[in-house]
PDB file of all heavy atoms in Angstrom:
ATOM      1  N   ILE F 851      -9.900  14.988  -7.877  1.00  0.00           N
ATOM      2  CA  ILE F 851      -9.967  14.557  -9.332  1.00  0.00           C
ATOM      3  C   ILE F 851     -11.373  13.945  -9.605  1.00  0.00           C
ATOM      4  O   ILE F 851     -12.037  14.229 -10.600  1.00  0.00           O
ATOM      5  CB  ILE F 851      -8.907  13.575  -9.621  1.00  0.00           C
ATOM      6  CG1 ILE F 851      -7.563  14.246  -9.607  1.00  0.00           C
ATOM      7  CG2 ILE F 851      -9.146  12.819 -10.980  1.00  0.00           C
ATOM      8  CD1 ILE F 851      -6.304  13.356  -9.772  1.00  0.00           C
ATOM      9  N   ALA F 852     -11.879  13.083  -8.659  1.00  0.00           N
ATOM     10  CA  ALA F 852     -13.139  12.473  -8.965  1.00  0.00           C
ATOM     11  C   ALA F 852     -14.311  13.394  -9.020  1.00  0.00           C
ATOM     12  O   ALA F 852     -15.110  13.380  -9.971  1.00  0.00           O
ATOM     13  CB  ALA F 852     -13.385  11.421  -7.833  1.00  0.00           C
ATOM     14  N   VAL F 853     -14.401  14.349  -8.074  1.00  0.00           N
ATOM     15  CA  VAL F 853     -15.468  15.292  -8.084  1.00  0.00           C
ATOM     16  C   VAL F 853     -15.419  16.404  -9.172  1.00  0.00           C
ATOM     17  O   VAL F 853     -16.333  16.714  -9.807  1.00  0.00           O
ATOM     18  CB  VAL F 853     -15.590  15.955  -6.711  1.00  0.00           C
ATOM     19  CG1 VAL F 853     -16.652  17.097  -6.696  1.00  0.00           C
ATOM     20  CG2 VAL F 853     -15.959  14.991  -5.642  1.00  0.00           C
ATOM     21  N   ALA F 854     -14.107  16.846  -9.459  1.00  0.00           N
ATOM     22  CA  ALA F 854     -13.901  17.731 -10.445  1.00  0.00           C
ATOM     23  C   ALA F 854     -14.266  17.149 -11.828  1.00  0.00           C
ATOM     24  O   ALA F 854     -14.681  17.928 -12.769  1.00  0.00           O
ATOM     25  CB  ALA F 854     -12.457  18.279 -10.485  1.00  0.00           C
ATOM     26  N   GLY F 855     -14.139  15.851 -12.038  1.00  0.00           N
ATOM     27  CA  GLY F 855     -14.437  15.195 -13.219  1.00  0.00           C
ATOM     28  C   GLY F 855     -15.965  15.032 -13.393  1.00  0.00           C
ATOM     29  O   GLY F 855     -16.438  14.555 -14.517  1.00  0.00           O
ATOM     30  N   GLY F 856     -16.814  15.192 -12.401  1.00  0.00           N
ATOM     31  CA  GLY F 856     -18.257  15.126 -12.520  1.00  0.00           C
ATOM     32  C   GLY F 856     -18.842  14.171 -11.697  1.00  0.00           C
ATOM     33  O   GLY F 856     -20.108  14.024 -11.729  1.00  0.00           O
ATOM     34  N   LEU F 857     -18.183  13.375 -10.926  1.00  0.00           N
ATOM     35  CA  LEU F 857     -18.730  12.349 -10.038  1.00  0.00           C
ATOM     36  C   LEU F 857     -19.226  12.922  -8.803  1.00  0.00           C
ATOM     37  O   LEU F 857     -18.693  13.995  -8.301  1.00  0.00           O
ATOM     38  CB  LEU F 857     -17.675  11.250  -9.635  1.00  0.00           C
ATOM     39  CG  LEU F 857     -17.169  10.465 -10.793  1.00  0.00           C
ATOM     40  CD1 LEU F 857     -16.116   9.404 -10.293  1.00  0.00           C
ATOM     41  CD2 LEU F 857     -18.358   9.655 -11.517  1.00  0.00           C
ATOM     42  N   PRO F 858     -20.346  12.365  -8.160  1.00  0.00           N
ATOM     43  CA  PRO F 858     -20.779  13.031  -6.940  1.00  0.00           C
ATOM     44  C   PRO F 858     -19.907  12.780  -5.816  1.00  0.00           C
ATOM     45  O   PRO F 858     -19.121  11.801  -5.887  1.00  0.00           O
ATOM     46  CB  PRO F 858     -22.170  12.265  -6.725  1.00  0.00           C
ATOM     47  CG  PRO F 858     -22.106  11.051  -7.606  1.00  0.00           C
ATOM     48  CD  PRO F 858     -21.183  11.421  -8.688  1.00  0.00           C
ATOM     49  N   VAL F 859     -19.954  13.584  -4.790  1.00  0.00           N
ATOM     50  CA  VAL F 859     -19.083  13.408  -3.611  1.00  0.00           C
ATOM     51  C   VAL F 859     -19.013  12.016  -2.975  1.00  0.00           C
ATOM     52  O   VAL F 859     -17.967  11.489  -2.652  1.00  0.00           O
ATOM     53  CB  VAL F 859     -19.360  14.581  -2.534  1.00  0.00           C
ATOM     54  CG1 VAL F 859     -18.584  14.231  -1.260  1.00  0.00           C
ATOM     55  CG2 VAL F 859     -19.046  15.882  -3.025  1.00  0.00           C
ATOM     56  N   TRP F 860     -20.257  11.381  -2.953  1.00  0.00           N
ATOM     57  CA  TRP F 860     -20.242  10.090  -2.247  1.00  0.00           C
ATOM     58  C   TRP F 860     -19.574   8.985  -2.979  1.00  0.00           C
ATOM     59  O   TRP F 860     -19.162   7.966  -2.320  1.00  0.00           O
ATOM     60  CB  TRP F 860     -21.699   9.699  -1.968  1.00  0.00           C
ATOM     61  CG  TRP F 860     -22.511   9.375  -3.252  1.00  0.00           C
ATOM     62  CD1 TRP F 860     -23.282  10.207  -4.030  1.00  0.00           C
ATOM     63  CD2 TRP F 860     -22.564   8.107  -3.928  1.00  0.00           C
ATOM     64  NE1 TRP F 860     -23.786   9.550  -5.110  1.00  0.00           N
ATOM     65  CE2 TRP F 860     -23.374   8.309  -5.093  1.00  0.00           C
ATOM     66  CE3 TRP F 860     -22.017   6.844  -3.616  1.00  0.00           C
ATOM     67  CZ2 TRP F 860     -23.628   7.164  -5.930  1.00  0.00           C
ATOM     68  CZ3 TRP F 860     -22.253   5.849  -4.610  1.00  0.00           C
ATOM     69  CH2 TRP F 860     -23.148   5.958  -5.651  1.00  0.00           C
ATOM     70  N   VAL F 861     -19.226   9.119  -4.231  1.00  0.00           N
ATOM     71  CA  VAL F 861     -18.647   8.008  -4.976  1.00  0.00           C
ATOM     72  C   VAL F 861     -17.223   7.812  -4.433  1.00  0.00           C
ATOM     73  O   VAL F 861     -16.853   6.623  -4.129  1.00  0.00           O
ATOM     74  CB  VAL F 861     -18.700   8.268  -6.501  1.00  0.00           C
ATOM     75  CG1 VAL F 861     -17.846   7.275  -7.241  1.00  0.00           C
ATOM     76  CG2 VAL F 861     -20.129   8.169  -7.037  1.00  0.00           C
ATOM     77  N   PRO F 862     -16.363   8.763  -4.535  1.00  0.00           N
ATOM     78  CA  PRO F 862     -14.982   8.516  -4.034  1.00  0.00           C
ATOM     79  C   PRO F 862     -14.919   8.301  -2.542  1.00  0.00           C
ATOM     80  O   PRO F 862     -14.011   7.496  -2.071  1.00  0.00           O
ATOM     81  CB  PRO F 862     -14.230   9.872  -4.398  1.00  0.00           C
ATOM     82  CG  PRO F 862     -15.279  10.934  -4.430  1.00  0.00           C
ATOM     83  CD  PRO F 862     -16.513  10.204  -5.050  1.00  0.00           C
ATOM     84  N   VAL F 863     -15.874   8.844  -1.830  1.00  0.00           N
ATOM     85  CA  VAL F 863     -15.795   8.584  -0.269  1.00  0.00           C
ATOM     86  C   VAL F 863     -16.228   7.081  -0.073  1.00  0.00           C
ATOM     87  O   VAL F 863     -15.480   6.435   0.752  1.00  0.00           O
ATOM     88  CB  VAL F 863     -16.828   9.512   0.319  1.00  0.00           C
ATOM     89  CG1 VAL F 863     -16.986   9.138   1.812  1.00  0.00           C
ATOM     90  CG2 VAL F 863     -16.371  10.955   0.297  1.00  0.00           C
ATOM     91  N   VAL F 864     -17.368   6.642  -0.631  1.00  0.00           N
ATOM     92  CA  VAL F 864     -17.712   5.237  -0.384  1.00  0.00           C
ATOM     93  C   VAL F 864     -16.673   4.267  -0.950  1.00  0.00           C
ATOM     94  O   VAL F 864     -16.296   3.234  -0.417  1.00  0.00           O
ATOM     95  CB  VAL F 864     -19.091   4.938  -1.002  1.00  0.00           C
ATOM     96  CG1 VAL F 864     -19.392   3.527  -0.912  1.00  0.00           C
ATOM     97  CG2 VAL F 864     -20.122   5.759  -0.234  1.00  0.00           C
ATOM     98  N   MET F 865     -16.057   4.586  -2.154  1.00  0.00           N
ATOM     99  CA  MET F 865     -15.082   3.742  -2.736  1.00  0.00           C
ATOM    100  C   MET F 865     -13.867   3.607  -1.929  1.00  0.00           C
ATOM    101  O   MET F 865     -13.335   2.561  -1.766  1.00  0.00           O
ATOM    102  CB  MET F 865     -14.749   4.278  -4.116  1.00  0.00           C
ATOM    103  CG  MET F 865     -13.715   3.460  -4.922  1.00  0.00           C
ATOM    104  SD  MET F 865     -13.161   4.167  -6.440  1.00  0.00           S
ATOM    105  CE  MET F 865     -14.689   4.209  -7.368  1.00  0.00           C
ATOM    106  N   SER F 866     -13.475   4.679  -1.240  1.00  0.00           N
ATOM    107  CA  SER F 866     -12.306   4.666  -0.393  1.00  0.00           C
ATOM    108  C   SER F 866     -12.478   3.794   0.919  1.00  0.00           C
ATOM    109  O   SER F 866     -11.682   3.166   1.347  1.00  0.00           O
ATOM    110  CB  SER F 866     -11.887   6.088   0.046  1.00  0.00           C
ATOM    111  OG  SER F 866     -11.495   6.756  -1.136  1.00  0.00           O
ATOM    112  N   LEU F 867     -13.734   3.802   1.371  1.00  0.00           N
ATOM    113  CA  LEU F 867     -14.027   3.039   2.520  1.00  0.00           C
ATOM    114  C   LEU F 867     -14.185   1.533   2.181  1.00  0.00           C
ATOM    115  O   LEU F 867     -13.605   0.648   2.962  1.00  0.00           O
ATOM    116  CB  LEU F 867     -15.394   3.536   3.147  1.00  0.00           C
ATOM    117  CG  LEU F 867     -15.362   4.869   3.831  1.00  0.00           C
ATOM    118  CD1 LEU F 867     -16.849   5.302   4.223  1.00  0.00           C
ATOM    119  CD2 LEU F 867     -14.587   4.788   5.158  1.00  0.00           C
ATOM    120  N   VAL F 868     -14.812   1.247   1.122  1.00  0.00           N
ATOM    121  CA  VAL F 868     -15.019  -0.147   0.735  1.00  0.00           C
ATOM    122  C   VAL F 868     -13.956  -0.801  -0.030  1.00  0.00           C
ATOM    123  O   VAL F 868     -13.472  -1.971   0.258  1.00  0.00           O
ATOM    124  CB  VAL F 868     -16.368  -0.250  -0.009  1.00  0.00           C
ATOM    125  CG1 VAL F 868     -16.693  -1.706  -0.393  1.00  0.00           C
ATOM    126  CG2 VAL F 868     -17.565   0.330   0.790  1.00  0.00           C
ATOM    127  N   VAL F 869     -13.412  -0.186  -1.067  1.00  0.00           N
ATOM    128  CA  VAL F 869     -12.353  -0.762  -1.851  1.00  0.00           C
ATOM    129  C   VAL F 869     -10.978  -0.482  -1.222  1.00  0.00           C
ATOM    130  O   VAL F 869     -10.121  -1.375  -1.053  1.00  0.00           O
ATOM    131  CB  VAL F 869     -12.417  -0.093  -3.275  1.00  0.00           C
ATOM    132  CG1 VAL F 869     -11.238  -0.625  -4.108  1.00  0.00           C
ATOM    133  CG2 VAL F 869     -13.705  -0.297  -3.979  1.00  0.00           C
ATOM    134  N   TYR F 870     -10.671   0.750  -0.896  1.00  0.00           N
ATOM    135  CA  TYR F 870      -9.404   1.145  -0.214  1.00  0.00           C
ATOM    136  C   TYR F 870      -8.244   0.535  -0.971  1.00  0.00           C
ATOM    137  O   TYR F 870      -7.481  -0.242  -0.498  1.00  0.00           O
ATOM    138  CB  TYR F 870      -9.459   0.637   1.226  1.00  0.00           C
ATOM    139  CG  TYR F 870      -8.192   1.117   2.035  1.00  0.00           C
ATOM    140  CD1 TYR F 870      -7.788   2.457   2.007  1.00  0.00           C
ATOM    141  CD2 TYR F 870      -7.492   0.175   2.648  1.00  0.00           C
ATOM    142  CE1 TYR F 870      -6.701   2.833   2.670  1.00  0.00           C
ATOM    143  CE2 TYR F 870      -6.364   0.595   3.372  1.00  0.00           C
ATOM    144  CZ  TYR F 870      -5.952   1.893   3.395  1.00  0.00           C
ATOM    145  OH  TYR F 870      -4.805   2.248   4.041  1.00  0.00           O
ATOM    146  N   ALA F 871      -8.075   1.067  -2.092  1.00  0.00           N
ATOM    147  CA  ALA F 871      -6.868   0.631  -2.938  1.00  0.00           C
ATOM    148  C   ALA F 871      -6.550   1.833  -3.923  1.00  0.00           C
ATOM    149  O   ALA F 871      -7.245   2.002  -4.926  1.00  0.00           O
ATOM    150  CB  ALA F 871      -7.184  -0.563  -3.664  1.00  0.00           C
TER     151      ALA F 871
END
Side-chain angles (χ1 to χ4, degrees):
I851 289 173
V853 173
L857 295 178
V859 171
W860 67 267
V861 171
V863 172
V864 172
M865 183 184 293
S866 295
L867 288 170
V868 178
V869 179
Y870 183 52

